[in-house]
Amino acid sequence: MLTVNGTPVAAQGTVLDACRRAGAEVPTLCHDSRVLPAGHCRMCLVEVDGRSVASCSTPAREGTTVVTDSDALRAYRQDLGELIATEATVQGEAKETLEAFGVTGTRYASRPRARRRDATHPYLRVDLESCILCRLCVRTCAEVQGQYVWAFANRGGAVTPHWGKGTFQNSPCVSCGACVAACPSGAISDVQRDASEDEVETDSVRTTCSYCGVGCQLEVRTAGNRVSHIDGVASSPVNRGHLCVKGRYAHTFARHPDRLTAPLVRKGGVLVEVSWEEALEVVSEGFRKLAPHVAALSSSRCTNEENYLVSKWFRGGFGTHDVDSCARVCHAPSAMGMRLSLGTGAATGSFAGIEKADLLFVCGANVTEAHPIVGARIKQAALHGTPLIVVDPRRTELASMANEHLQLRPGSNVPLLNSLAAVLVEERLVNRFFVDQRTEGYDQLAEFLKAFRPEDTEALTGVPAARVRRAARMYAHAARPMQVHGLGMTEHYQGAEGVRLLCNLALLVGAIGREGTGVNPLRGQNNVQGAADMGCQPDLLPGYQSPKNPDVRALFERVWDRPLPTVDGRTLPRMYEAARRGELKGLYILGENVVQTDPDVKSVLEALTALDFLVVQEIFLSETAQLAHVVLPGASFLEKDGTFTNGERRIQRVRKAIEPPGNARPDWRILLDLMSASGFPQTFRSPEDVMAEVAELVPAFRGVSYPALEPDGLQWPVPSVGHPGTPILHTETFPIGRAELACVPYLPSPSFSEEREDTLLLVTGRILAHYNSGSMTRRGGNDTIHPRDVLSIHPDDAAVRGILEGAPVSVTSVHGEARPVAHLTPDVTPGTLFLTFHHPETHTNFATSDVVDRLTDCPEYKLIPVRVTRR
C-alpha cells in the first residue's frame, strides 16, 4: 500500500494510477492509457516522499507518501501553463485543463512559432499553431495504429510535429483518427467534431460497428436527430478505444438524401411511393400466392434478431428451407471445413489471443485493410517481435512485415498447406501426445502427405521449398501459434477443404484449445457469424441444428407452432438456377445488393428478371432494388436495436442512436409486420423478446439475454443463465469426440480451363476505405480517399500490354467485362491481378465466374482468368 493525500491505496501501476484510484485530481496533457507513459508535459508532477516526480511515468511503490496538491505544485503548474500559452494557441481539452488550474493568460512574452496548417484531408485538420509538443500524435500513431505518419523535426525551440513533404491528404495516414482522439490541444482535429461545436449534444449511445466482423464498440454522439461524431469505447476488449476510417467517420450516409424514406411498389413498370399498409399487403399476397416456391436471402449487415425472423418467417410461414444469407459468399467454407474437422464451425479463440501468441500465421487475409483494428493489433505484435508468417499471393502490408511471406500462385492453397503439413510429419515436428490423445486419422495422413513434399509442390505453388520448410519449422517450434484466415482461403473451388488443412496444421502441433492458439476465421461483414448462427442457411436451423433431427424438429414445431418443411433447401447459387428454370417464383432480399456483389452478374440478372415477384428491403435504391416489384425502406445500424455477433463469437448489443429518416422503419419491425400480414403473427414487442426465443431454442444461447450482454457482450456458447461465456473452444474435447485429420487431394479449379496464353489470374477483394458494395462508404468522405476501383497489375505485365499508370483498362473473362483504371505495383507478382468491387460503374463482378466451392457453393472470387487491354 501507499498513501495519496492520506488515503491508502494499492501500490499498483504508476503513481498516476494510484492517484486516480484514490480519487485525487492530477492534471495531464500527454497521457493516454493506450500508449506507454512518456512524461513529456510535466503537468502531472506530484510529490512522492517530498520529491517532485512525473506521476505518469513513476512506478507506484510500497510505503511511499504521495501529495497531489501543495503551494509548490500549484505554483509550478501555473508557471508551466503560462509557458505553454506563450508558444501555442491552446484549444480543447488542454485549454480546459489549464483554465482549471488558473491559467487564463501569461506573464511571459509571446513566442509564436511558424508552423504548418493543412485542410486537404476529408476528415482531419492540422493547425500546428495549437501544438503543445505533447507527442501524443507520434505515440498513438506508432503504438496504437503502427503507421508512423508523425515524427518530430528540428531541435530546441524550433521543434515541431512533421508528416513529411506534401499535403496531409497525400501522407501515409490511414484516417483512423487515433491522433485526433489523443490530441489535447486542437492541433489535430476532425471536420465532424469541428462542425458540431456549435450544436448541443443531446445524447451519447454505445453501439456496435456495422462495417466488418471485428465488432468494434462505438460511442455515438448525437445532436438532435443526427450523428455529430463517433468515438471508440476505451473499455471494450474488442477495439480498446481504437477505430478505423469507416467506424469513426463513415456515418454520414445515415442522413444522405439518397436514403429510402417510403415504401415503393412497381406500377406500370415504375416504382412509386405507397403507404405501408399497401406495401405490406402487396408483399404478403405476392408471397402467399407463390408459396412454397419462394425464397429468402437474409443479410449479414442486419441483426441476429432480424436474421432469426427471416428464417422463422419463410420456414414457418411459407414452408420452405430456401433461406440463405451472404455468409454463403464468404465464410460458408470456414464453417463447413471447421465443422467437419473440429465439430464447430466458428473461431476457436479470441482476438485477445493476438497478444498472447508467440507466432502469428495469417493466411489469405489482408487484415490491415479488411479488418483494420485486428490488423493494427497484429502489426503491433509483429513490431514487438512476434514472428509472423503470411500466406498471400499479394505483398500486403502484413506480408511486407512478415518473417516469411509464402507468395503462392492463386488457386494453389491446397498443395501449399499440404506441403507445410508434410514438413511437420517428415521432420518429426508433430505433437504426438496431442495427436494421439485428441485426433484420428494420423497414420493415413502421414502416408498421404508423402506426395506433397515442398520440393514436389514448388512448381505448382510458386513458393520455394526452402521457404516452406522454414515456415513449417517456425510454426512447429512456437509454443502458442495462432492462425487467422480470410476470404483468400475460402473463396476457392476447394475453399472448405483448404480450411480443413488449416485445421490439420493446428492439430498436428497441438495448437487448439489454449489461449493464443487456434484456427480463427476473420468474418467479412459485421454479422456473418450471427446470420449463420440464426439459421439463415438452407440445411441448418438456428444454432446449427439439423431439421432432420426428430428432437430438433419437435422443439421448433412446438415453439413456432408450425410444421417445418420436409423438402431440402437450396443455397443461393441453386436459387438462381431454380429461378432461371422457372421453379423459384418469388424472392425476398434483405439488405444485400447482389447485382453488384455476387459473381457472374449476367447470370444473376437473368435469375432476378425471371422471377414473378422480387422484394428488396434496403436503405438505398441499390442496383438490386431497382429491379424489385416492391422496395421496403429499412433502417441502418444507427437507427435500431438488436445484437451482432463478431468474428470471435462475441454477441454484442446494437442500440438505436437516431431515428430512421422519413417513413423508414427498423427492419425487425418490418419483418414482424410482414409476418402478421402473411398470416404468421408474432407476439414479439421488441428485439429483446426475439432474443429470448432464440435462447429457448439454441443451446449455445441459453444464457443470453440483453442484461447478460452488458457491458461487453458474451462469447458463445453461453449454455446457462449466469455463464460468463466461452473465450476459448475445445479446451478439453471436441464436439465430435476426436478431431479429424483430413486427407485432401489437390483438384485444380475448373477456372484453370479458361486460361489462355495471354490471360492473367484475377483476385478480387476489398480495401480499407470501402465496404462491399460501398453503398454506405461511397456517400461521404471515404470516396474522396478512394474514389474509384483500381486494378493492381505488375509493371512487367503492364509494359507488355502498353498500359500506363492510371490508364482505363478492360478486364475481360469468358463471363463479362470490368472497366477499372490501372495501378502499376510490384505488390502483385507477374501473372496476378487484384481488383476491388466497391463502385458499381466498374462492373467488377461481370467478370467473375460461376465456379463455386465444391462443398458449400461459395463463389470462387479469388481465381478468374482474364485478359487485360487498354480502353
Side-chain angles (χ1 to χ4, degrees), residues 473-532:
R473 292 165 189 153
M474 287 173 60
Y475 187 76
H477 291 148
R480 297 178 305 281
M482 179 178 176
Q483 295 180 17
V484 297
H485 71 266
L487 305 188
M489 271 303 305
T490 61
E491 291 176 345
H492 283 285
Y493 179 61
Q494 287 189 281
E497 292 164 298
V499 172
R500 297 203 72 183
L501 299 185
L502 288 176
C503 295
N504 277 1
L505 291 176
L507 292 168
L508 286 171
V509 300
I512 279 186
R514 296 180 287 118
E515 191 174 30
T517 67
V519 181
N520 301 282
L522 293 170
R523 304 293 183 171
Q525 296 192 44
N526 55 293
N527 204 30
V528 168
Q529 183 68 60

Side-chain angles (χ1 to χ4, degrees), residues 277-341:
E277 290 74 19
E278 180 177 346
L280 294 171
E281 180 63 22
V282 172
V283 174
S284 61
E285 280 300 307
F287 282 138
R288 279 194 298 193
K289 289 178 180 177
L290 298 175
H293 306 295
V294 296
L297 175 64
S298 199
S299 177
S300 296
R301 289 195 291 168
C302 291
T303 65
N304 287 319
E305 294 78 4
E306 290 158 352
N307 280 282
Y308 174 81
L309 290 174
V310 171
S311 178
K312 182 176 183 179
W313 179 27
F314 273 74
R315 285 180 159 117
F318 299 127
T320 178
H321 283 304
D322 282 357
V323 178
D324 212 348
S325 75
C326 58
R328 176 68 46 201
V329 301
C330 59
H331 271 292
S334 289
M336 174 67 78
M338 296 176 70
R339 193 159 60 242
L340 291 173
S341 290

Side-chain angles (χ1 to χ4, degrees), residues 267-408:
K267 296 182 179 182
V270 179
L271 288 169
V272 298
E273 288 191 8
V274 300
S275 67
W276 271 107
E277 290 74 19
E278 180 177 346
L280 294 171
E281 180 63 22
V282 172
V283 174
S284 61
E285 280 300 307
F287 282 138
R288 279 194 298 193
K289 289 178 180 177
L290 298 175
H293 306 295
V294 296
L297 175 64
S298 199
S299 177
S300 296
R301 289 195 291 168
C302 291
T303 65
N304 287 319
E305 294 78 4
E306 290 158 352
N307 280 282
Y308 174 81
L309 290 174
V310 171
S311 178
K312 182 176 183 179
W313 179 27
F314 273 74
R315 285 180 159 117
F318 299 127
T320 178
H321 283 304
D322 282 357
V323 178
D324 212 348
S325 75
C326 58
R328 176 68 46 201
V329 301
C330 59
H331 271 292
S334 289
M336 174 67 78
M338 296 176 70
R339 193 159 60 242
L340 291 173
S341 290
L342 309 176
T344 300
T348 66
S350 304
F351 298 148
I354 293 169
E355 288 78 27
K356 301 293 184 181
D358 61 358
L359 180 138
L360 292 163
F361 184 96
V362 179
C363 191
N366 188 4
V367 192
T368 56
E369 298 258 355
H371 302 84
I373 302 308
V374 167
R377 292 174 72 165
I378 293 174
K379 282 176 66 175
Q380 289 299 324
L383 289 167
H384 285 84
T386 301
L388 176 64
I389 299 170
V390 173
V391 180
D392 203 292
R394 292 193 295 151
R395 187 176 63 189
T396 62
E397 183 177 14
L398 289 182
S400 69
M401 302 173 64
N403 299 78
E404 289 294 344
H405 176 200
L406 307 184
Q407 195 166 11
L408 75 172

Side-chain angles (χ1 to χ4, degrees), residues 3-75:
T3 62
V4 177
N5 300 333
T7 301
V9 293
Q12 298 173 353
T14 65
V15 171
L16 180 61
D17 295 330
C19 291
R20 290 183 170 172
R21 283 196 299 272
E25 186 176 3
V26 177
T28 63
L29 293 176
C30 73
H31 180 73
D32 189 305
S33 60
R34 298 173 298 168
V35 298
L36 295 173
H40 289 302
C41 75
R42 316 309 285 180
M43 185 60 76
C44 70
L45 256 64
V46 297
E47 295 172 359
V48 177
D49 292 340
R51 184 169 59 93
S52 295
V53 300
S55 62
C56 70
S57 56
T58 302
R61 290 189 172 88
E62 292 284 344
T64 54
T65 299
V66 179
V67 175
T68 66
D69 186 38
S70 68
D71 291 341
L73 288 172
R74 285 192 295 273

